[in-house]
Amino acid sequence: MKTQNLILEFNNFKMISIDAGILLFRTALCLELILVHGLKKIGIGTAVAEVVPNPLNLPDQFNQLFAISANLIFPVFVLFGYLTRIAILPILAVTLTGYFIIHWNDSPLVRDIPFMYSLGFLLLFVTGPGKYSIDYRLCIKNMPVIQ
């Protein structure tokens, strides 16, 4: 009986650790994207707002708005764990475009940035936001009670 309780406590601790790790990773990744890449796209922290490349020849205003949203708005959704997997898709569109199209012929040091962001957000897409998220709370509320 004591061994069984010890195993249950260990499993509970393991699940809390995994969810806390996902929360920490999600927070660090999103804040880094917002602070390092998002704010300079609207001119905060720089003299002039960054010009966003348009390798897919989209309309300029749409391209700019999409890039700003993917670097400022959608990371806030992911940060709080709200509509996480849906919010990750436009972020991945921008980071993967940066990796495969814009920086493909650059040195590995330059390509590394969009590659690491893409890997990080792909990991979150696969794992989901974890227990400490709005998505989890909404999912628990809407689950049918089985008696």
Side-chain angles (χ1 to χ4, degrees):
M1 188 70 170
K2 285 185 181 183
T3 307
Q4 202 172 27
N5 286 342
L6 188 62
I7 291 171
L8 287 175
E9 285 180 30
F10 177 73
N11 284 338
N12 189 32
F13 175 74
K14 194 164 79 171
M15 290 307 299
I16 290 171
S17 297
I18 290 170
D19 288 319
I22 291 172
L23 172 65
L24 179 65
F25 181 73
R26 197 176 75 219
T27 302
L29 187 65
C30 290
L31 287 177
E32 184 74 9
L33 182 62
I34 292 167
L35 296 174
V36 175
H37 297 282
L39 294 178
K40 69 181 179 181
K41 288 198 175 33
I42 58 171
I44 296 177
T46 60
V48 179
E50 181 182 314
V51 176
V52 178
N54 191 357
L56 303 177
N57 295 319
L58 300 170
D60 287 333
Q61 286 185 335
F62 176 77
N63 185 61
Q64 188 76 15
L65 182 63
F66 190 80
I68 289 170
S69 298
N71 285 286
L72 279 174
I73 297 168
F74 291 115
V76 173
F77 281 73
V78 176
L79 180 67
F80 290 108
Y82 181 65
L83 301 174
T84 307
R85 287 187 169 119
I86 295 170
I88 286 174
L89 294 175
I91 298 170
L92 282 174
V94 169
T95 59
L96 290 171
T97 300
Y99 181 71
F100 285 111
I101 297 174
I102 297 171
H103 296 294
W104 185 252
N105 293 321
D106 293 342
S107 73
L109 292 174
V110 175
R111 276 195 328 234
D112 187 46
I113 295 168
F115 179 71
M116 293 308 291
Y117 277 115
S118 297
L119 281 182
F121 282 106
L122 277 170
L123 176 67
L124 284 176
F125 186 80
V126 171
T127 63
K131 185 177 179 180
Y132 305 114
S133 65
I134 295 173
D135 285 348
Y136 181 82
R137 297 290 175 211
L138 292 175
C139 183
I140 292 298
K141 265 186 195 175
N142 294 328
M143 286 183 108
V145 177
I146 301 172
Q147 295 180 6

